[in-house]
Amino acid sequence: MTDRGSSGVQGVSRAGRVIVYGLLLLMCLYYLLPLFVMVSTSLKSLDEIRSGNLLSLPKNVSLEAWRKAWSGACTGAICAGLQGFFWNSVRFVAPAVLITTVVGAFNGYVLAMWRFRGSDFMFSALLIGCFIPFQVILLPMAHTLGMLGIGNTTSGLVLVHVVYGLAFTTLFFRNYYVTVPNELVKAAKIDGAGFFRIFWRIILPLSLPIVMVSIIWQFTQIWNDFLFGVVFSSGDRQPITVALNNLVNTSTGVTEYNVNMAAAIIAALPTLFVYAVAGKYFVRGLTAGAVKG
Amino acid sequence: MGALSIRNVRKSYGSQDILKGINIEVEDGEFLIMVGPSGCGKSTLLSMIAGLDSVTSGEIYIGGRMVNHLSPKDRDIAMVFQSYALYPSMTARQNISFGLDIRRVPKAERDQIVERVAQTLQIQHLLDRKPAQLSGGQRQRVAMGRAIARNPILFLFDEPLSNLDAKLRVEMRTEIKLLHRRVGKTIVYVTHDQVEAMTLGDKIAVMRAGEVMQFGTPRQVYDDPANLFVAGFMGSPSMNFIPSEIVTLGGGIGLRMVSDGVTQVLPLNGAEAKLKTYLGKEVIVGLRPEKLTHKVDALCGMPHIHVIQSLVHVAEPTGPDTLLLVRINGKDVVCRVHPDHARAHGENIELMLDFSKVAYFDPQTELRIA
C-alpha cells in the first residue's frame, strides 16, 4: 500500500519535473535564439547572408566582419570602427562606477550606523533620486556642466553618472548596513576605533556582496546608457552605445548585417563579462545581506 | 572613592523620562548587577556608563574621574555585548588584539597579552578561527577575552548569557564568577534574570521604569525587600502576597487568615508597633514559598512558627521540592514542601508558616511597613 502510494507520488513528481525542465529549456532557447542569430550572422560573409537563411550555420567562418566593426566601419564621417569609442566608454564608466560605489558605501555607512538628526529625511530625499527620469534632468544638467566648464568632456559625463547613480548605490549600501548589528560599531568605539577606522577595518570587509551588486548594477547602467552619452558628449568623445547607433545608421549602399551584429556584440561584451565574473554575488548580495553573529 | 559612582543621573528623550534620577555607588572590585524587567532602563544606563549614550543630567564618575563628556575609548572600560559583537571578518586573535592594536601596543607585548588571555579563558586552540566557526559559548569566551585584554578599570556586561542555552548559561555563569575573582576588577552586569543577579552580584540594583527600587546585597534584596515590586521580582517561584486584615488578638493585634473556611488569627511577632495604625484595614503579607512548608514537629512551639490547615489545589513536583498550591484569604499561595511530605490534590495538609522573614506591605503605596 505505502509502496504503491509513494511510487505513485514519485511518478507524478517525475512527470512534473519533465514538464518543468521542458518549459525551462524552451524559454532558454527562446532567449538564446537572438544571440545565436547574432553570433552566426556576424561570422558569415555578406553573400552568404543574402543567399542563406537566418538560422543556418555559417559555411565559411570569417572574422572579417568583427575586424571591420572593431577598426574599419564608418560611424558617420569617420571610418575607424568602434575601438576608439569602446575605450571612450571604458574611460568614463570605470571612474563613474568606482566613485558611485565608494561614495555610496560611505553614504550608506553614515545613514545606517551614524544616525543624526534628519538622517532619515536625507535618506528619503536621496531615494527620490531613484525615481527621476533621465529626460527631466537633461537641460538643468547641461546648464550645470556648462557653468562648471566641463560640458562635453569625459569628466562631465562621469559627473552626470555619479550624481545619477549615487541615489541607487546609497540605497543598496544603506539597506545592507542596517542588517549589520549596530553592536559591532559600539564594540569598535569602545575598542577605541574612530569613524573612518570602523568603516575601513570592520564594515568594509563585510561588504563584498553588496560591493559586487553595486558594481554590476552601475556598470550595466552606465555602460548601456545612450541618452546622457548622446546629449553630453560629441564627436570622437562619444560612448560606444552612441557609436553603435551611428554605425548601424550609416549606410553606404548595402546594409552590412554581419558588421552590425559584430558591433552590437562588441558593445555588449563588457557587461556580459562583468556579470560572469561578479554574478554569483549579485543574487546573494541582493537577497541575503545579513551578517550572522 | 569607588570605581563607579552614578549621581542623580537622568535620561530623557524629548518629554519622555527613561531614567529618573539614578544613584549608585560601587566600590573597587565589586560585582554590581542591574536587574529589572525589559524597558526598565538598565541597558540605557549601561550605555551611558560606556559613553554610547549621552547623559541628560547628573554625573557619572569612573575611578574618581567625571566621564560625562569623555568618549567611550577614553573611559578605560571594556564591554561584553549580548550578541558578542565579534568582528566577523577577523579571527579570534585579531578580535582580541584589535583594541590593543588601536592603542599602539607593541606587537611583542600584544602577542603576550593575547596568549595570556587565551590561557585564562582556555581558548588557545580557537585563536585562528573566525567567529562564524565558533559555537555560542566559544564566541562568548572570545568576547570576554577581548574585554580582558584591554585591562580596563571597569567591565560592562550587557546580558551576556541570554543567547546561550540553559545548560551552557549555568556553566558560563560560574565561569564569570571565577573570572571576576581572578581578575579582581569592578564589573557592572545587566540582566533580566533574577537568578543570575542573586548568584553573581555583590550588590544588586533592582530597577523598574527608570528608577532604582532597591540597592543592596543579594541577601538584603531577597530577605528585606523594600517594596512589593522587589519582593515579587526576586526569587522563583516568587513571594506569596496574601492580603490579610489586621484584627484584635487578645490585648494586641493579629492577622486574620482564612483557608478553606477555617479562620485563624495569627500573632504578629514583633511587628505590632508598626502595624497598629492598620487595625481594621488590610495589609499584604509577603511570605516566600520556602517559608510555607510541611509541619516539622521539632520546630513547632517556636514563637515565629504557626500551623494552619489547608486543602491542596494543585501539586507540582519539581524534583527536589514539590510545589503545592493552596488558597489563603482567597489568594493562590505556593508552598515549597519536601516530596516525602507532599499531599496530592484534594487532600488536606498541615502547613507550617515561618514568620521569621515575613514582610508586610501597604496595599496602596506598595511600600514595606515592617
Side-chain angles (χ1 to χ4, degrees), chain A residues 172 176 205-217 273-290:
Chain A
F172 292 155
Y176 183 79
L206 302 175
S207 311
L208 185 67
I210 201 68
V211 167
M212 289 303 175
V213 168
S214 172
I215 286 179
I216 291 181
W217 177 270
F273 173 76
V274 168
Y275 197 87
V277 171
K280 69 169 177 178
Y281 293 100
F282 190 68
V283 178
R284 206 191 294 170
L286 275 187
T287 54

Side-chain angles (χ1 to χ4, degrees), chain B residues 48-257:
Chain B
M48 288 158 74
I49 298 171
L52 298 168
D53 251 325
S54 62
V55 177
T56 306
S57 73
E59 289 116 43
I60 296 176
Y61 294 81
I62 295 175
R65 203 161 48 123
M66 218 268 261
V67 296
N68 276 30
H69 301 293
L70 290 183
S71 68
K73 69 176 160 56
D74 299 324
R75 294 190 177 198
D76 204 4
I77 52 163
M79 187 157 171
V80 177
F81 292 88
Q82 182 174 3
S83 67
Y84 320 134
L86 297 175
Y87 311 127
S89 58
M90 299 184 195
T91 62
R93 184 191 305 279
Q94 290 167 325
N95 262 289
I96 294 172
S97 63
F98 184 66
L100 303 170
D101 192 7
I102 289 175
R103 287 176 164 74
R104 303 224 167 77
V105 176
K107 174 108 179 54
E109 196 184 332
R110 224 156 62 203
D111 291 345
Q112 214 180 335
I113 293 173
V114 172
E115 210 47 52
R116 199 190 64 228
V117 167
Q119 209 168 2
T120 313
L121 294 164
Q122 294 168 337
I123 50 172
Q124 293 105 316
H125 58 296
L126 305 173
L127 284 179
D128 293 313
R129 294 202 201 159
K130 295 265 179 75
Q133 296 163 301
L134 301 173
S135 70
Q138 291 169 336
R139 281 179 205 172
Q140 176 73 72
R141 276 169 216 264
V142 175
M144 288 202 285
R146 182 169 66 182
I148 297 169
R150 292 252 317 283
N151 197 24
I153 55 170
L154 184 63
F155 285 97
L156 308 175
F157 284 75
D158 189 7
E159 309 214 17
L161 302 182
S162 53
N163 282 351
L164 301 176
D165 63 62
K167 191 159 175 277
L168 200 53
R169 198 178 311 160
V170 176
E171 271 176 45
M172 290 305 291
R173 200 168 71 200
T174 314
E175 204 146 319
I176 290 177
K177 191 154 190 167
L178 286 172
L179 191 75
H180 175 239
R181 198 174 303 157
R182 225 174 310 153
V183 180
K185 289 290 169 68
T186 316
I187 295 181
V188 180
Y189 187 109
V190 162
T191 180
H192 61 264
D193 180 355
Q194 48 89 17
V195 181
E196 261 172 45
M198 288 294 295
T199 48
L200 287 173
D202 294 322
K203 291 274 178 64
I204 300 180
V206 186
M207 294 178 65
R208 182 177 69 167
E211 285 176 282
V212 174
M213 303 304 282
Q214 189 170 3
F215 178 58
T217 65
R219 282 248 68 85
Q220 286 170 344
V221 170
Y222 190 80
D223 288 339
D224 283 315
N227 48 52
L228 265 182
F229 173 76
V230 175
F233 190 78
M234 304 303 288
S236 171
S238 50
M239 185 185 265
N240 295 303
F241 296 129
I242 309 163
S244 315
E245 199 189 330
I246 303 283
V247 292
T248 48
L249 171 69
I253 54 175
L255 283 172
R256 205 163 91 112
M257 294 230 165

Side-chain angles (χ1 to χ4, degrees), chain A residues 234-248:
Chain A
S234 63
D236 56 2
R237 289 210 197 83
Q238 285 177 327
I240 193 165
T241 44
V242 178
L244 176 66
N245 173 66
N246 294 346
L247 183 147
V248 174

